[in-house]
Amino acid sequence: MIKLTDIRGRRGLDEELFFLYDDTVETKTRFVSFMGENSRFDLAILRTDRYYGKSLVLDIQSNRFAIIGQDDLDEPGYLEHAYELSKEDAGELREFLYETI
């Protein structure tokens, strides 16, 4: 076990961490910004060998992220819920992501 004090360098914390995993992996990251009808999207799209071929999509403006694959884009309401978007804005994001991931 690694003590929290070993990681953070703080004294007085006796908590211990149990790691499920602690890996460093290579990623391919794409930063893209586009303007929809009503909203601007500033995204970071990370591809890695994790997440079963899905991408980690971060919306930098809203500070929200989701792990997204083609199956998720087909799921009604998925983007609306994950990014707290209107149906129209989610439709624009979905259209972009269909072409991207």
Side-chain angles (χ1 to χ4, degrees), residues 53-68:
K54 296 184 178 192
S55 296
L56 179 61
V57 181
L58 294 89
D59 182 349
I60 298 166
Q61 291 284 346
S62 69
N63 198 28
R64 297 189 166 277
F65 67 92
I67 298 169
I68 300 176

Side-chain angles (χ1 to χ4, degrees), residues 31-34 40-44 58-62 64:
F31 293 95
V32 62
S33 179
F34 68 93
R40 174 179 167 167
F41 294 93
D42 292 299
L43 306 174
L58 294 89
D59 182 349
I60 298 166
Q61 291 284 346
S62 69
R64 297 189 166 277

Side-chain angles (χ1 to χ4, degrees), residues 8-89:
R8 295 190 180 167
R10 295 182 183 178
R11 294 182 181 160
L13 296 175
D14 290 330
E15 299 176 43
E16 292 184 0
L17 297 177
F18 177 77
F19 289 95
L20 297 176
Y21 58 85
D22 183 5
D23 299 329
T24 301
V25 298
E26 293 291 321
T27 64
K28 181 178 179 183
T29 305
R30 177 181 178 187
F31 293 95
V32 62
S33 179
F34 68 93
M35 189 67 197
E37 283 292 321
N38 303 310
S39 298
R40 174 179 167 167
F41 294 93
D42 292 299
L43 306 174
I45 303 168
L46 289 78
R47 303 244 344 135
T48 179
D49 60 352
R50 300 238 181 212
Y51 312 122
Y52 307 101
K54 296 184 178 192
S55 296
L56 179 61
V57 181
L58 294 89
D59 182 349
I60 298 166
Q61 291 284 346
S62 69
N63 198 28
R64 297 189 166 277
F65 67 92
I67 298 169
I68 300 176
Q70 293 291 325
D71 59 328
D72 301 306
L73 296 176
D74 295 333
E75 185 71 31
Y78 185 81
L79 295 180
E80 291 86 339
H81 175 73
Y83 297 103
E84 291 187 357
L85 295 172
S86 69
K87 187 173 184 174
E88 294 79 20
D89 290 343

